[in-house]
Amino acid sequence: MKRILIGLMGLMGLMALMGLTGCEKEGFAVDDGGVKLEFSSDTLSFDTVFTTIGTATRMVTVRNHTKDNLKLSTVTLAGGSASRFRMNVDGDTSLVARDIEIEAGDSIFIFVQANINPSDVTTPFLVEDAIVFSNGQRLVLTAWGRNAVYHRLLPSDSTWFAIIDCENWDHTRPHVFIDPAAVLDGHTLTLRDGDELYFGDGTMLIIDSNAHLRAQGTAETPVLFTSLRHDGWYDFLPGQWQTLWLYNYSIGNLIDHAVIENAVGGIRCYPGAQLMVTNTVVRNMSDCGIVGQGASITGRNLLVYDCLAGFTALMGGSYDFRGCTFANYWSYTARKIENVVLSNNMNVVVDNQIVTVGGNLLKADFRDCIIWGTYRKEVLLSELEGYEMNYNFDLHSIVKGGTWSEDPLFTDPYEDDYTLQENSPAQGIGYQFEN
């Protein structure tokens, strides 16, 4: 199943008892042809490899299925020193590994990384090589390389974040965030269809006070906010970067036709921040998909899923969602909170003491929405006396534990298919998939 993460298995050591028996290790026959080794894969492929950034390590198993001990005189890369791949052959990191021994019925491991030089090409390009064994066999290596624009701190920077040059944003290449980055006061970051933003561990995009984010993609090519790593199960692993952070009083923000994925939190709006978010998918968050902290958020046609929580309102604010689906089938860890949380308060630390502060929840409207998941009820209300607490779930919204609490019949939520079955009672409400 897609959600099962593969852990590392401990290897049990085998006692040879050579010191007890006095037996000598059998000899190894040099094989430079004739014997065919078994590979765990015919081709070792790497997905997107950004230039100047090395990939994660891939592994291939090479097995000697014969009854004889074999010695390979050489294992090398066909491209030699010019190869964009590097390998480790059973612990030997030399460009040419020599005299590699494989006992009868045993295996060795080869680990490979790709590192590609930058070029002027704006589209993905294929890089190929092969591991060549002295018995004549070859293992093909392929990687798709991409040039990118990198956002990172310079030694001369006095801030803890890189400053984005909004006026000279390059729409022809993906943007890779090595460090946190910010759009400063008075500037607007404009993103359009096909723009791709990749975030490394611990990074985030900050929209400063009185700065603006205008991200407008299309159904065919949405704006992408995603993690840097996508090899294997990293393609859908939550928590790989931090968040899109709309700081206090950042107004006039728009996100339309976007995909935001694989972070700690999808979108976090601080007091006074304003956001219109439409036709957007938020998924794979280790915390919350969308958080409003005394903010103003308008949502239309949203799909928020595979997050520890879908939407959280803290310390009040104003929120208006229509035609949105908040689905929660989280299975990475134990879930201890409802999918949608509405609160006119939050706890903060003041002088090492936890203090509850309040703010008016002026509005929290959900119309034609689906709020569903694995909990008995999927909405939590937290009210602090002395502050307004206004919310409304209209009669055309399916809310688990609410007035209309009927299974919407998603096609296969455990495989991320949130289309509705033909007999679903939710036809016409919630997120509408565009053809």
Side-chain angles (χ1 to χ4, degrees), residues 17 39 72-73 106 109 146 184 262 281 414 427:
L17 301 179
F39 301 149
L72 296 168
S73 57
D106 203 356
F109 301 102
R146 295 191 74 181
L184 295 186
N262 303 352
V281 176
Y414 290 102
Q427 296 291 346

Side-chain angles (χ1 to χ4, degrees), residues 170-350:
D170 186 349
H171 296 279
T172 66
R173 302 172 186 241
H175 287 248
V176 174
F177 292 77
I178 306 300
D179 295 299
V183 177
L184 295 186
D185 184 357
H187 294 269
T188 299
L189 175 59
T190 301
L191 304 175
R192 64 192 189 204
D193 59 302
D195 277 348
E196 300 176 22
L197 289 74
Y198 293 84
F199 295 85
D201 183 33
T203 64
M204 68 181 75
L205 176 60
I206 305 163
I207 310 300
D208 201 2
S209 299
N210 298 313
H212 315 283
L213 172 65
R214 307 286 295 181
Q216 198 153 17
T218 65
E220 295 76 21
T221 52
V223 177
L224 179 63
F225 301 86
T226 190
S227 53
L228 181 57
R229 293 188 64 176
H230 277 267
D231 48 299
W233 47 271
Y234 284 98
D235 194 37
F236 52 83
L237 180 69
Q240 296 185 63
W241 56 287
Q242 289 299 307
T243 190
L244 299 181
W245 184 7
L246 306 185
Y247 203 62
N248 300 33
Y249 303 104
S250 170
I251 62 175
N253 297 292
L254 170 67
I255 300 175
D256 177 52
H257 284 103
V259 173
I260 306 169
E261 62 185 11
N262 303 352
V264 174
I267 307 169
R268 189 174 187 96
C269 300
Y270 264 32
Q274 297 177 1
L275 171 66
M276 166 74 82
V277 54
T278 57
N279 306 307
T280 290
V281 176
V282 180
R283 62 192 178 198
N284 305 336
M285 302 296 159
S286 60
D287 196 320
C288 190
I290 302 174
V291 176
Q293 184 177 321
S296 176
I297 300 175
T298 299
R300 299 286 186 270
N301 199 41
L302 307 181
L303 175 59
V304 183
Y305 71 90
D306 268 5
C307 305
L308 192 63
F311 171 71
T312 299
L314 297 172
M315 211 169 66
S318 179
Y319 311 98
D320 185 352
F321 294 101
R322 301 189 185 189
C324 300
T325 295
F326 298 90
N328 201 323
Y329 293 80
W330 176 267
S331 60
Y332 292 96
T333 59
R335 182 157 70 100
K336 299 180 180 179
I337 195 168
E338 285 78 1
N339 193 18
V340 170
V341 178
L342 303 180
S343 174
N344 64 358
N345 62 88
M346 66 178 294
N347 293 330
V348 299
V349 178
V350 178

Side-chain angles (χ1 to χ4, degrees), residues 370 398 404 408-409 419-430 432:
I370 301 172
I398 290 181
W404 184 14
L409 298 179
T419 57
L420 299 175
Q421 300 177 32
E422 290 185 2
N423 59 336
S424 167
Q427 296 291 346
I429 68 171
Q432 301 298 302

Side-chain angles (χ1 to χ4, degrees), residues 98-121:
R98 301 184 185 278
D99 298 329
I100 301 299
E101 299 175 346
I102 314 177
E103 294 186 6
D106 203 356
S107 304
I108 63 169
F109 301 102
I110 299 179
F111 300 92
V112 182
Q113 288 183 323
N115 197 318
I116 299 176
N117 286 338
S119 67
D120 293 329
V121 178

Side-chain angles (χ1 to χ4, degrees), residues 46-55 84-85 113-119 125-128 142-147 150:
F46 296 82
D47 294 328
T48 300
V49 181
F50 291 109
T51 55
T52 75
I53 297 180
T55 64
R84 302 322 307 163
F85 298 89
Q113 288 183 323
N115 197 318
I116 299 176
N117 286 338
S119 67
F125 52 92
L126 182 63
V127 177
E128 296 180 289
T142 64
W144 283 99
R146 295 191 74 181
N147 291 295
Y150 296 93

